[in-house]
Every structure is written in C-alpha cells, then in structure tokens.
Amino acid sequence: MSEGVQRFIEAAVEPLADNDELKLAAWQELSEQVSPDADAAEFEAAAERLERSGDPRWRWIWAMAVLVVSVPVLILISWKPLQGVRMLRDVSGLAGVPDPSMSSKWKRDLSYEDRLLLFGDPSNPSEAGKWLPLWQSNPDNPAFYIEYALGYESDRDELPPDFLETGTGLDPDNGWFALRQAIDQLDPVVERIPLKGGYTRRKKAQEEGISLTWDIHDPEALSERVGLLKQAVVAKRLTSYQGNLIEARFGKLPEPEEFFDNVDVLAYMAGLRFDSSQRKLADLIGAEAQRCRVEGDREGFQALATLWWRIAEAETDSSHSLVDGLLTRIFISTTLPPMRDAAATLDVEPDKWAALEKSVRDYYLGVGKRDNPETEKLVTQHGSMIASLALPMIERQVREPLPLTQEELLPGCRVDQALIGRLASGAIWKLLGISCLISLSIAAGQAALMKRLRGSLRRFPDRTDAIWIGAVGVLGPIALFLMLRYLTPFARLDWGPRLTMFVIPIGHFVGLLLMLWVWPVAVAQWRLSKSGGVMAWRWGPVTATSAMLAPPVAMVLLGLGVPPGGHSIPLMIGAGVLGLWALVWLGMQASFIGGRQRRLRLGIVSEAVRPAWLGGMLAVVFLGLQFRSEERHWMAKDELTTPAPKGMTAYEAAVTEQLRLETRELLGLE
C-alpha cells in the first residue's frame, strides 16, 4: 500500500479511534473500496480534505436557523389560506358565521353595537331571539324592527301579532308595513294552481303568455288584504330598509386585502336573509285580478291597476341585489297576464295592458335565450375562478350586457395565480422537510460501520462543494422558475387556472419541487466525483443532466398547451413523462442496490444535499411571501369581483343597476 493511500485511510478512520474493532473494520473496508486508478496526488489531496478541521455542528445550526426563520414566515403565508379552505369545507361557513368569536380576527375586534348589527345574538337559536337585541338597542329604528319581524316570521311562518301597529308607529309614512301585512299567512286565503303538464308544456304556456289561475278560499279575507294594499300605496314611501341595512352592514366589513378576506366577506353577504315577499304579493294581486275579471268588477280592477303600478315601481326602485331584482321581474311577469286578461274582459285600456304584457314577455324570453359566446369564452379563458363561474350567469340576466375586457379580468386571474403560489410554497416546504427527514432516517438505518464511515467521509464535500450545491442546486431552480414565470409566456399568468383545471400552475410548482429535489443531488454527485475519485465514485452526466432538464422542459410543454386544442393533451402527457423520469432518476439514486460502496456513497450524498434542501425550504417560504405581496397587489386592482353592498360583487352590483334601468324602461317609467 502506497504512502498516499495509507495517509488517506488513516485520516478517514481517525474519528473511529475510540473503537479499535470498528477502526480495523473501517480500515479493511476502505482498503477494498479505494480506486486502483487514482494516483498518489489524488490520495494526498483527499487526505488533506479529511484532515482539515471543521465544526460538525454547523449542519444542526443551519437546520435550526432555517426552522427559526422559515416557520413564522410559513405561518404568515399559509394560515389565512388554510383557514379559508377550512371555512369553505364547513357548510355553515357559507351560510354566514354563527359565532363571530370563533372566526376571523376582524369579527372579534368589533364593538358590541357592530356585532349586533352584523350578527345579532348568535347564542340564541331562534331568528327572532337572534335579532331582538338589535331592535332593543335602538327601539325607534324601523329597519331594526323589520329585521326582528322577518326573523320572527322565519321562526313561526307568520309576522308578529302587533306588526302593523308597531311598524306604522315607528314609520307612519311608510306603507311597506301594510303591504307586508297584506300577504302574511296568505295560503289559507288564495292558492296558486300550478300549470299542468311537464316542463315543455309549462314553458310553452309561459312563452304564449297564458295566465296562472288561483283558488280563492276566502273572498272576504281577500278583500281585506287588497284593502291593506290600497292603504299601503297611498303612503309617501314603500321601503323595507333592506338596502339601507345592507349598506350599513357592508360599511362594517373589512376591505379585502387577500383572496380569503374576499371569501370571508362574500360568505357573510351570502348568508344575509332578504325579504322574498314578491311571490306572495304576485299571488294576491293575480287572484284579485282574476276575481275582478270573473265578477265583472270594473271599478275594483281600476283600483287594482293603480296600486299595481305603484307597487311595481316601488319594487323596481328598491331592488337591493340581483336576486331581489329578479324576484321583482318574476312579480311583474306573473301578474301581467291576469291583469291583461282582466283589462280585456272589463274593457279597461285593454290594448295598453296587452302591449305591456307582450313587451315584458318578449323581453324576458329574449333575455332567457340570449347567448353571448364571446363573453363566456373570454371569461372562461382569462377570468378568475369566481369570475369564470359567476360572471357569465350574472351577465345573462339583462338585455344589454355590460362589456367585459381582458384587462378587467386580469387582476382576478392574477390573484388566483398568486394564491396557488402561496399554497404551493407551503406544500413544497413540507415536502422538502420530509425529504430531509427521510435522508436522516436512511443515515440512521445504516449499520454502525457505515454510519461511522459516513460521518468521517462527509468531510469530502468541502466549503466550495457546498457553495456549488447550494448555488446551482437551490438558487438555480428558483431563478429558472422565476424566469419561466415572469419573463416568458409559458406560465400563462393571464389565463384563468380553471381553463386547464389548474394543470399549468400546479404543474409549474411540481416542476420547481422536482428541480429542488434533483438538482442538488446531481450537483452533489458531480462534486463528489471530482473530490472522491480515490473511492471510484463516478456519476452519469448524461442521465443526470437529462433528469435536471426534464422539469423545466415539462413546464415549457405545459405552457405550450394553452390555448387548448388538439395539441394540448399530447403536450401534457409529454410533460408528465418528463416529470416521471425526474422522479425515477431520483429514486435510482436513492436505491440501496449496488453493495456497500453504493450505500456509503448514498449516505455521503444525503449528508451533502440535506443543507441544500434546507436552503430550498428557506427559499420557498420567501417565495411564498412574494406571492402574498403579489396577491395583495392584484386584489387592490380587482374592480369586478370585489364585494359590493348592492350585490355579491362589484360586477353584480353594476348588473343589478342595469336590470333596474331596463325594468323601468319596460314599464315606461321616467
């Protein structure tokens, strides 16, 4: 044995001096594994590497530093999205938050008065009991009393016994209380007779303007109810204050800064109860029009026509949401056919009523059949998840659709992309952490001799090697990922994630994870082949390079699959094959097949790449911090899907106003 070989082995087994038996076994093992092709200079250089002093604790110090820094950042970028996902899974979360003390911080920070306004008393199981404290907090406020009364009705299917007296006492000039009293417990008085036949026959009847019919069970009670309507329409105003109450509540909600702030506010808005009395009101007026026609009551119909116009205008102008506007549309379309028939029979402006009914029917049928494939295509391709699901449906509710542009859709789309980045950053952090734990378990599971030898020979990768592994293995993938994302079109950030079922954004983050797994291992093997030549450690540059290039090439292929077409599926399959090859190569490097020499090399490689994977964990949480900042930036620019008081979103509020204007135009109102 040459002097260089002997010096190298002595340096390698020196840490085993406390165990003569292991030292002797290690000497024998290394004598068998040293490369016969290495020259004396290589052995001398290898011995010098092993003889250099170094603090082995730096690996643990680095690991603790990474955890101390990255865990708080991870919580910052992941906590709110995870809470939001949990809320979406909770069915009650989409129906409003029953207990503000158990939800978002902004709800816990509310004053007592604001809590009452937004949530009432969540501890009370009944709706009346829930909203009674709100009214008691300001007994002279008619809006608060109406909220309590509607809660009472929700519990008992009837209004409070003193509803009309209390309501008119609080607001004498408001006829809404009389109007609402008129339709309270209406079923025993009149009953709508459904159109017979299947869906096709009912649809045809609606298209032909055939009137519904009603059974009048109590004519005297019907007359009393109509008298209440006459009392209502002579009042100065007809308002339920629902719109005012929504605006007051909306003013207490936080301005969304992140996506799940938006979801939190939208969930609250969706859970608000609204007065849907238009159907009963339509039954009352339709039954009275039918009675006037059958009994030949011309004077009664003329009075009914007056109050119909007053109610139709009031309901149209007081629509405080798209749903409320659509219910008003149903009220108008339901009552016009019996009003038309009565007008024709009684010869009370028959042409006017017939023309109005036909124009309204044609309008509604036209809106129902209107198709705007270009807008739907635009929203599907470039809209956010919320926009692509909601905006086409909302847009179809009016005759003159509000135009949408790609520039208006871009902020919402970018919010989705940034949110996916936040969630993916947290997932990558966890997977890299699991990889570190697996590498530790591999090392811990080795035999005592291999474990001690690995601890000695891990000094082969020196500081220069560590810099190479960290710079190329961690910073390289991060830089390449950012370049593909922001400097090329392959990330398709202006295309909605829903278009590809999130394949592209998720695929790109899977590519980043694969690079952070594969690149440090490949670079570590390359550096070990240079410094560990005395151990005949070689690497396969062709297979390693192909595994390194597979993820970024797969990311490019995914981007080339958009816009979707016949080429998309083959490209996605190709991207999947490349990603699978990177995983297969990584698995091959982690295999124990190949004997003791391969196991020893695997242990040393795992020691070399673990600090790089820890560095990757640190890098991805700061990448997640960047995505959080990006999400907030684009949220501030989104003017379509941000919450609004007159609709779930700003776009819905604009459509609600458009619906109101079109309804007024239909009715010929100034």
Side-chain angles (χ1 to χ4, degrees), residues 191-196 211-216 283 290:
E191 181 181 359
R192 180 185 297 191
I193 301 175
L195 290 172
K196 296 181 180 180
S211 174
L212 294 171
T213 55
W214 289 264
D215 278 337
I216 300 175
D283 286 340
Q290 175 183 294

Side-chain angles (χ1 to χ4, degrees), residues 105-154:
K105 182 179 182 301
W106 69 267
K107 295 171 185 173
R108 297 194 298 270
D109 293 342
L110 292 169
S111 66
Y112 174 73
E113 292 76 11
D114 291 344
R115 282 198 186 201
L116 279 181
L117 177 64
L118 290 170
F119 305 103
D121 178 9
S123 63
N124 198 304
S126 73
E127 285 295 303
K130 179 179 177 180
W131 296 110
L132 179 60
L134 175 65
W135 178 38
Q136 291 174 335
S137 70
N138 189 353
D140 296 329
N141 190 322
F144 290 176
Y145 174 67
I146 289 173
E147 191 72 1
Y148 158 72
L150 294 178
Y152 187 99
E153 184 184 43
S154 176

Side-chain angles (χ1 to χ4, degrees), residues 122-375:
S123 63
N124 198 304
S126 73
E127 285 295 303
K130 179 179 177 180
W131 296 110
L132 179 60
L134 175 65
W135 178 38
Q136 291 174 335
S137 70
N138 189 353
D140 296 329
N141 190 322
F144 290 176
Y145 174 67
I146 289 173
E147 191 72 1
Y148 158 72
L150 294 178
Y152 187 99
E153 184 184 43
S154 176
D155 291 334
R156 308 189 185 189
D157 202 27
E158 63 177 344
L159 292 170
D162 56 350
F163 172 76
L164 181 58
E165 179 183 355
T166 303
T168 53
L170 292 173
D171 193 3
D173 295 328
N174 188 2
W176 184 85
F177 297 98
L179 183 148
R180 203 60 177 74
Q181 186 72 55
I183 59 175
D184 183 40
Q185 294 183 292
L186 187 64
D187 292 342
V189 180
V190 298
E191 181 181 359
R192 180 185 297 191
I193 301 175
L195 290 172
K196 296 181 180 180
Y199 171 78
T200 303
R201 186 173 179 180
R202 292 197 303 272
K203 185 173 180 60
K204 184 178 180 181
Q206 292 173 354
E207 291 175 350
E208 294 175 353
I210 297 176
S211 174
L212 294 171
T213 55
W214 289 264
D215 278 337
I216 300 175
H217 302 302
D218 190 340
E220 184 177 344
L222 174 61
S223 178
E224 293 176 0
R225 302 300 180 98
V226 174
L228 285 172
L229 288 184
K230 293 176 181 178
Q231 176 185 334
V233 298
V234 297
K236 290 182 179 179
R237 56 181 175 272
L238 283 172
T239 177
S240 66
Y241 295 105
Q242 294 296 290
N244 304 79
L245 202 55
I246 289 175
E247 288 188 6
R249 285 168 167 163
F250 187 83
K252 305 298 181 182
L253 301 177
E255 184 175 349
E257 296 180 337
E258 301 175 17
F259 175 81
F260 279 105
D261 294 336
N262 209 2
V263 172
D264 205 11
V265 173
L266 290 176
Y268 173 80
M269 298 290 286
L272 291 177
R273 180 185 58 249
F274 58 90
D275 180 30
S276 57
S277 58
Q278 291 92 334
R279 186 181 188 279
K280 287 186 176 181
L281 191 58
D283 286 340
L284 177 58
I285 291 179
E288 173 65 6
Q290 175 183 294
R291 183 199 67 78
C292 292
R293 176 178 59 82
V294 172
E295 296 180 4
D297 186 355
R298 195 170 189 274
E299 182 178 343
F301 177 74
Q302 289 175 327
L304 181 65
T306 300
L307 66 87
W308 184 92
W309 281 104
R310 176 77 169 91
I311 292 173
E313 181 176 8
E315 290 289 334
T316 299
D317 288 341
S318 65
S319 296
H320 53 78
S321 68
L322 183 60
V323 172
D324 199 44
L326 294 176
L327 288 173
T328 298
R329 189 166 80 177
I330 292 173
F331 162 78
I332 293 172
S333 62
T334 301
T335 54
L336 273 177
M339 294 291 290
R340 175 206 59 200
D341 293 348
T345 300
L346 301 172
D347 194 26
V348 179
E349 301 182 307
D351 295 337
K352 176 182 176 181
W353 285 99
L356 178 61
E357 188 279 328
K358 187 176 187 310
S359 65
V360 169
R361 174 160 41 99
D362 291 344
Y363 168 81
Y364 292 151
L365 291 175
V367 168
K369 294 178 180 179
R370 185 178 64 79
D371 192 16
N372 195 344
E374 290 301 318
T375 296

